[in-house]
Amino acid sequence: QVQLVESGGGSVQAGGSLRLSCVASGRTLSSYTMGWFRQAPGKEREFVAATSGSGDRTFHAASVADRFTISRDNTKNAVYLQMGSLKPNDTAVYYCTASGGPAYYSPADIDAWGQGAQIAVYS
């Protein structure tokens, strides 16, 4: 089982940028599709972005595609989410995820979750 630990959360003014990091342990990261989900207060957990095992393919939710970028460094067993032009409705707890199969979009597809990193965007 892979263990995931996020870092880089915090508060930022609207229009600002943040970078989330996630370090994995327990398994070779390249075996997993890695991604990010988020959950805002009172809302369901939603897909944000994912990257294939080698990092050659990335997928972003339409709501963040022009502002967020997912990347990974398998030599460091790490995955990142660079977030720009942040908006108040990006406020949420962000979760690093690992999927051992080809699917990555639904919470049911996820095999491992990080503990979550709080992002607060204020106007």
Side-chain angles (χ1 to χ4, degrees), residues 11-51:
S11 297
V12 64
Q13 192 170 19
S17 300
L18 282 174
R19 187 194 198 207
L20 291 175
S21 300
C22 172
V23 177
S25 61
R27 291 287 181 92
T28 302
L29 197 64
S30 59
S31 301
Y32 292 88
T33 296
M34 300 298 297
W36 294 91
F37 278 66
R38 67 185 181 185
Q39 187 166 22
K43 294 188 177 181
E44 294 185 353
R45 199 166 291 191
E46 65 174 1
F47 169 78
V48 176
T51 175

